[in-house]
Amino acid sequence: MNHLIVCAHPEGKSFCHTLTQRVTSSFKMQGGHVAVSDLYAMSFNPVLSDIDMAMTGWEPFGSDIRTEQNKINCGDTITFISPLWWNGFPAILKGYFDRVFREGFAYDNINGEKQGLLTDKKFLFILTTPQEESILRKNGSLDAFTRLIQNEIADSCGVTQCEVYFLCGISDLSDYRKKNILKEVEIIARTFACEEEQHYYF
């Protein structure tokens, strides 16, 4: 089994990077191949240009886009590890979706409707936020963002096996609690990659 982990946090010592290392180790324990796209370390360009907009299909895409698309094509499970900033992805990850998940690769446009092309993939989102879960549940942020991932990313790409996990209140957690979370995430990632069917998490 092949895996791609996309990490989107600028600080190398962040909890997101610790999560990335733990999930990588978890997947490797299964005997699978793991590729990691550390977007900030790669200096990935998130800006969708007019040249990008003019490109459709496989061959015309730039080399940086084709490299990431090749990683996705080779992966069975694509795991996105990222903080939530302003109730959204960091700009670099939003730009990753804008530039990499293009028409002709992630979906086709048939009579004005998207037809997903990544039907054989699984998407796992592990998202951190310093805010408490009770606050984000009360104001509807977590439910709204989960629906966005479902409707605008997973469904558009034809991905039926997708799970979203929010790790809330990260900045106030004790080291002991963080260690337990890392163990939980390791189990979640390993189980998700092995199971045949998953459902959206609300």
Side-chain angles (χ1 to χ4, degrees), residues 69 100-108 115-118 156-158:
Q69 290 176 340
V100 176
F101 286 70
R102 298 294 305 283
E103 181 178 354
F105 171 72
Y107 66 93
D108 277 332
Q115 179 176 315
L117 300 176
L118 303 181
S156 293
C157 295

Side-chain angles (χ1 to χ4, degrees), residues 77-93:
T77 301
I78 318 299
T79 301
F80 302 92
I81 300 177
S82 169
L84 278 182
W85 290 341
W86 297 97
N87 284 329
F89 294 128
I92 200 167
L93 181 54

Side-chain angles (χ1 to χ4, degrees), residues 142-161:
L142 298 189
D143 290 342
F145 201 66
T146 302
R147 285 193 295 270
L148 183 147
I149 290 173
Q150 174 186 345
N151 297 332
E152 298 301 325
I153 299 177
D155 286 356
S156 293
C157 295
V159 173
T160 59
Q161 296 177 253

Side-chain angles (χ1 to χ4, degrees), residues 147-182:
R147 285 193 295 270
L148 183 147
I149 290 173
Q150 174 186 345
N151 297 332
E152 298 301 325
I153 299 177
D155 286 356
S156 293
C157 295
V159 173
T160 59
Q161 296 177 253
C162 178
E163 288 230 11
V164 183
Y165 288 91
F166 297 99
L167 305 178
C168 302
I170 290 298
S171 58
D172 295 326
L173 293 179
S174 65
D175 290 340
Y176 176 78
R177 179 57 183 141
K178 286 183 179 180
K179 288 180 180 179
N180 285 338
I181 287 176
L182 289 172

Side-chain angles (χ1 to χ4, degrees), residues 7 18 26 29 32 50 61-62 79 85 100 112 116 126 134 138 145 154 177 184 188 194-195 202:
C7 178
T18 303
S26 178
M29 286 177 63
D50 56 344
F61 291 130
T79 301
W85 290 341
V100 176
I126 302 172
S134 58
K138 185 177 180 179
F145 201 66
R177 179 57 183 141
E184 293 168 7
I188 287 168
C194 292
E195 289 184 353
F202 288 95

